[in-house]
Amino acid sequence: MASSTSLFFLCPLAIHFLVLTAQSQPEMVYKDCLPDKGNYSINSTYQANLKQLLTSIYTNTEINNGFYNFSHGQDPDVVKSIALCRPDITPQACRDCIKNASDSLLVLCPTSKEAIGGQDDCMVRYSYRDIFRLNEGRGPYFFVHSKNNVPEPNISGFNQSRMTLLDSLRDRAAAGDSRYKFDYNQTLDPNFQTIYALVQCTPDLTESECRDCLHFASGLIPECCEFNTGGRVITPSCNFRYETDRFYSLENMPSAQSPPPPPPPPGKSRIVIIVIVTVAVSTIVAICVFIFLRARNKKKEFKRIEAMNKKEEFNGIVDSEIEDAESLQFDFGTVRTATNDFSEENKLGQGGFGAVYKGELPNGQHIAVKRLSKESKQGQLEFKNEVLLVAKLQHKNLVRLLGFCLERKERLLIYEFVPNSSLDHFIFDPTKRTHLDWERRYKIIVGIARGLLYLHEDSRLRIIHRDLKASNVLLDEEMNPKISDFGMARLFEVDQTQEETSRIVGTFGYMAPEYIHHGRFSVKSDVFSFGVLVLEIASGQKISGAGIGEEEENLLTYSWKNWNEGTALNLIDPTMRVAPRSEMMRSIHIGLLCVQEHEANRPTMAQVVTLLGSYSITLPVPSKPAFFMHSALRTEASLSTNERSNEDVQQSRNEVSTSELYPR
């Protein structure tokens, strides 16, 4: 069995991150208590039926094909269960695994009416509803990948060989009978790396259901393990696993499935060796030629990176658009000279993906250069995301990308220089905030709203920013706002309204509740972030800062409380001595409309821009905002969010989801 460190996470109903090793085999490697399915009472009939049912599974002496389904009790307390073992383990090992998994589920999900979980060799699930002969391959699902990455030059060939192998196994597994629906095999990638794989469905599925389940699971590879030498996707109805080391036992594998291809006959072994050596030498020569050509033309580096995963990551981008992006390429020497060799004196700030430097081009134009970290894999994804996305955006309230630079491991993004830094340096600074009177703050609010409206409705690509916050709004010399940092942006089809993701990215306090809890995001997620930003601008208080008022409430709670009590002016930043109260009250009102708990109740950005520009429209009464800043939820959500910068109290996930590009 592989002993590499692995990362498991559950989606879309919840997000869990666990670091496990082979030594922790008795522990559950994945589980979901499915709290939305209801709970049973302690010492209830349902609990007694559940315990009896799970006991009957692992004491059953007839488990000889790794699959078990049974029910116990009468409605409304009937419990139904399914267990599935990996096909290559012995019946006794299967029973032991089911026992350990069942006992763990009862401890980890003490009152859940439905739960699913498993160890390395088996899966157990139970429910109050019918789950037998039901294809539930689309969720909840779990990911696991090895800690080792495929070397960059080999990724394309490895991916193609892996997908060809999984596709062939999928059809053969689906054609299995009511005892077994699995298959296994191995293949060689172009670099003579052996890939072993095993796919499996619960045998209660039909042939088409098994095929569909495995097809959906293999489509999750870009999210799970695209660059890894080993990975798994596990769903309630099917699963697959691949490794570069053989992880299954041929000795215990049932004979119902086709074995791996036999070795070549002895008489042909010399021919095989000659062929392999010839191919290996040819491959080495080809690699040397490739390296030489790449050194002569550094622009080919960009094409190589783009070609690695163009199909999965940039669905819909054509070659001409990539060439358009290349036309923006800067010479590395020019950028290094412009920034005085990236000197500390020119450093503007440090973020999770690298540092930002000020520079001056030979023509006198000032620039801001984002130098992405050389060690960050996410930085490479962000680089491609921003180059292919931001280069297409043209709006006065969006920061403008001037170009990029690729030279060996250096990845640079060159932006227009915005002299007044970011909004958070003003509204949260006791001294600088005094320079922002209400007229300027209102101008900033309107500018941000218009920039978001362009992203959502008016650009050729519908874009969800997903990380709108005060530090991502830059201010030019006239204090006009410019939305920046599109590394976490997501693109939608023109008629698409929402999407779900297993990767939660963003900053706490600004993220909408449906995004945190369910991974569901839409244009209304950005509207929520905008509402938080409006309340911050009006009050000068951080959403993630210390509590406000005598009861030390968070900003949303404090705003809602004062609104209901008719004391909304308590929210206004006291440094603004003279300001039109009606306009400030209307802005607070709009901010509260944007942070309502249910996304359907929030206005669109088109409606927000209209409301900000017209005082003749009566505003609806807001419902309560989403109070998700309680300490319990902060702890839970922190399991799925990494610190983006040690200098920033706000937490942003240092990861970028793959963006799909669609024409409008």
Side-chain angles (χ1 to χ4, degrees):
M1 304 298 294
S3 61
S4 58
T5 301
S6 302
L7 175 67
F8 291 78
F9 56 96
L10 163 67
C11 52
L13 300 177
I15 306 293
H16 300 288
F17 293 90
L18 304 172
V19 177
L20 303 171
T21 62
Q23 285 73 19
S24 60
Q25 183 68 18
E27 301 294 331
M28 296 291 281
V29 294
Y30 62 91
K31 62 93 179 175
D32 184 11
C33 298
L34 298 167
D36 59 320
K37 300 297 185 181
N39 297 305
Y40 60 80
S41 302
I42 300 297
N43 298 324
S44 64
T45 302
Y46 189 94
Q47 184 183 37
N49 290 339
L50 174 60
K51 290 182 178 180
Q52 179 61 37
L53 174 62
L54 296 180
T55 301
S56 70
I57 297 178
Y58 54 75
T59 58
N60 192 307
T61 59
E62 298 181 359
I63 295 183
N64 55 12
N65 63 358
F67 179 68
Y68 184 92
N69 80 91
F70 194 65
S71 64
H72 186 75
Q74 302 295 325
D75 287 330
D77 298 308
V78 63
V79 186
K80 304 178 182 184
S81 181
I82 283 178
L84 179 69
C85 289
R86 213 172 68 190
D88 61 312
I89 67 172
T90 65
Q92 184 57 50
C94 178
R95 282 191 289 270
D96 292 342
C97 183
I98 292 174
K99 181 181 187 305
N100 291 333
S102 300
D103 292 345
S104 295
L105 275 181
L106 290 176
V107 174
L108 297 171
C109 307
T111 60
S112 297
K113 297 192 71 173
E114 180 168 341
I116 180 173
Q119 298 184 350
D120 195 54
D121 295 335
C122 69
M123 175 196 71
V124 175
R125 59 184 302 218
Y126 57 82
S127 177
Y128 58 90
R129 60 188 176 92
D130 289 328
I131 54 177
F132 184 65
R133 292 176 180 167
L134 181 64
N135 181 11
E136 293 191 298
R138 293 180 180 265
Y141 47 85
F142 308 83
F143 300 156
V144 54
H145 62 71
S146 69
K147 66 179 180 180
N148 298 320
N149 291 338
V150 180
E152 268 194 17
N154 305 341
I155 288 179
S156 180
F158 185 93
N159 285 350
Q160 184 60 50
S161 300
R162 175 187 57 200
M163 292 309 299
T164 300
L165 175 60
L166 291 177
D167 287 346
S168 65
L169 295 180
R170 177 178 67 235
D171 292 335
R172 291 203 297 266
D177 56 26
S178 59
R179 296 178 305 141
Y180 298 107
K181 274 189 167 59
F182 79 93
D183 203 1
Y184 65 98
N185 211 331
Q186 64 194 59
T187 190
L188 286 175
D189 75 356
N191 295 283
F192 301 96
Q193 173 70 64
T194 303
I195 306 174
Y196 301 86
L198 185 150
V199 304
Q200 184 180 23
C201 293
T202 56
D204 57 321
L205 298 187
T206 66
E207 181 175 348
S208 62
E209 287 173 337
C210 177
R211 185 182 295 108
D212 290 345
C213 183
L214 289 171
H215 185 271
F216 175 81
S218 62
L220 296 172
I221 286 179
E223 296 184 54
C224 159
C225 38
E226 188 168 25
F227 302 102
N228 304 103
T229 58
R232 279 187 275 178
V233 174
I234 305 152
T235 83
S237 298
C238 67
N239 65 82
F240 73 79
R241 179 177 180 179
Y242 73 89
E243 301 283 352
T244 53
D245 296 317
R246 196 178 73 195
F247 57 91
Y248 48 76
S249 169
L250 296 177
E251 179 182 356
N252 299 320
M253 194 72 73
S255 59
Q257 299 303 116
S258 57
K268 297 183 180 180
S269 53
R270 178 176 299 179
I271 297 175
V272 171
I273 293 173
I274 293 174
V275 171
I276 291 177
V277 171
T278 302
V279 173
V281 172
S282 300
T283 302
I284 293 172
V285 171
I287 291 174
C288 292
V289 172
F290 171 77
I291 294 173
F292 173 74
L293 293 176
R294 185 176 64 171
R296 292 181 58 188
N297 188 356
K298 63 189 176 184
K299 290 186 178 180
K300 289 185 179 180
E301 177 73 7
F302 183 87
K303 290 182 178 179
R304 184 185 64 79
I305 295 175
E306 175 58 30
M308 284 190 334
N309 292 294
K310 180 168 60 179
K311 179 178 178 182
E312 293 86 359
E313 293 182 10
F314 297 109
N315 186 21
I317 288 292
V318 296
D319 291 340
S320 62
E321 290 179 298
I322 298 171
E323 292 170 1
D324 289 342
E326 282 196 62
S327 67
L328 301 174
Q329 188 163 6
F330 276 62
D331 176 73
F332 180 74
T334 300
V335 180
R336 181 167 58 185
T337 301
T339 59
N340 193 20
D341 199 14
F342 305 101
S343 65
E344 283 296 317
E345 293 79 8
N346 283 28
K347 191 173 183 179
L348 297 174
Q350 179 77 36
F353 293 112
V356 180
Y357 299 87
K358 180 182 178 181
E360 184 176 357
L361 296 176
N363 63 2
Q365 181 180 8
H366 290 95
I367 57 174
V369 180
K370 180 189 288 187
R371 190 183 195 186
L372 301 184
S373 170
K374 297 179 182 179
E375 290 76 24
S376 172
K377 182 175 70 174
Q378 288 81 15
Q380 185 176 87
L381 294 177
E382 186 201 33
F383 181 89
K384 292 185 288 186
N385 203 25
E386 292 213 42
V387 168
L388 293 177
L389 188 155
V390 184
K392 303 175 185 298
L393 303 179
Q394 297 293 330
H395 191 274
K396 67 178 183 179
N397 294 118
L398 304 179
V399 70
R400 186 161 60 96
L401 178 71
L402 302 178
F404 69 95
C405 177
L406 268 175
E407 176 133 344
R408 297 181 181 179
K409 291 186 178 181
E410 291 286 356
R411 292 159 295 169
L412 310 176
L413 291 166
I414 297 91
Y415 295 95
E416 63 173 319
F417 177 70
V418 184
N420 280 325
S421 187
S422 54
L423 177 60
D424 61 329
H425 284 88
F426 281 84
I427 60 173
F428 303 137
D429 185 276
T431 303
K432 292 182 179 180
R433 69 203 303 178
T434 59
H435 300 298
L436 287 181
D437 56 18
W438 177 250
E439 182 179 357
R440 286 179 175 172
R441 297 193 194 203
Y442 192 76
K443 180 181 178 181
I444 291 171
I445 291 172
V446 173
I448 297 170
R450 288 175 176 166
L452 278 181
L453 174 59
Y454 173 82
L455 294 177
H456 292 179
E457 303 292 341
D458 299 329
S459 65
R460 187 169 65 89
L461 302 167
R462 176 167 293 163
I463 299 167
I464 312 299
H465 190 281
R466 293 206 295 169
D467 198 24
L468 182 68
K469 56 183 176 180
S471 59
N472 282 342
V473 176
L474 305 182
L475 301 174
D476 67 11
E477 60 274 10
E478 298 178 5
M479 303 301 284
N480 294 308
K482 291 179 177 290
I483 299 172
S484 69
D485 200 343
F486 291 86
M488 297 181 183
R490 192 79 169 214
L491 289 89
F492 272 29
E493 294 184 32
V494 64
D495 296 324
Q496 190 177 359
T497 58
Q498 69 177 32
E499 185 171 326
E500 292 184 352
T501 180
S502 61
R503 296 178 175 181
I504 302 300
V505 295
T507 302
F508 267 97
Y510 294 90
M511 291 191 289
E514 69 274 7
Y515 185 32
I516 291 179
H517 292 307
H518 308 294
R520 186 175 68 248
F521 62 93
S522 66
V523 292
K524 296 296 185 71
S525 307
D526 279 355
V527 171
F528 184 93
S529 303
F530 173 78
V532 173
L533 198 49
V534 169
L535 296 176
E536 286 185 327
I537 293 172
S539 66
Q541 299 288 339
K542 288 184 178 181
I543 186 65
S544 60
I548 310 171
E550 296 179 356
E551 299 182 15
E552 295 188 350
E553 298 158 312
N554 66 65
L555 180 58
L556 295 187
T557 306
Y558 183 78
S559 302
W560 177 248
K561 176 182 176 181
N562 280 276
W563 177 267
N564 276 333
E565 294 176 356
T567 57
L569 288 177
N570 290 342
L571 187 65
I572 300 299
D573 187 345
T575 63
M576 294 186 294
R577 297 183 177 85
V578 179
R581 294 191 175 186
S582 60
E583 195 171 73
M584 290 191 296
M585 291 289 289
R586 187 175 180 85
S587 298
I588 294 172
H589 193 159
I590 292 172
L592 288 171
L593 288 174
C594 293
V595 297
Q596 292 178 103
E597 185 167 11
H598 300 292
E599 64 263 42
N601 295 335
R602 300 173 205 149
T604 64
M605 288 313 302
Q607 293 169 330
V608 168
V609 170
T610 300
L611 295 176
L612 288 169
S614 174
Y615 295 92
S616 61
I617 302 175
T618 303
L619 300 179
V621 177
S623 58
K624 74 179 179 73
F627 301 128
F628 59 90
M629 293 299 290
H630 300 306
S631 58
L633 185 52
R634 184 191 294 269
T635 301
E636 174 190 343
S638 66
L639 293 174
S640 62
T641 306
N642 293 334
E643 219 178 331
R644 184 172 184 187
S645 171
N646 292 331
E647 299 175 2
D648 192 351
V649 178
Q650 300 161 341
Q651 292 180 327
S652 294
R653 175 127 183 229
N654 191 2
E655 183 172 350
V656 177
S657 297
T658 300
S659 297
E660 296 92 26
L661 306 181
Y662 300 98
R664 288 181 66 88

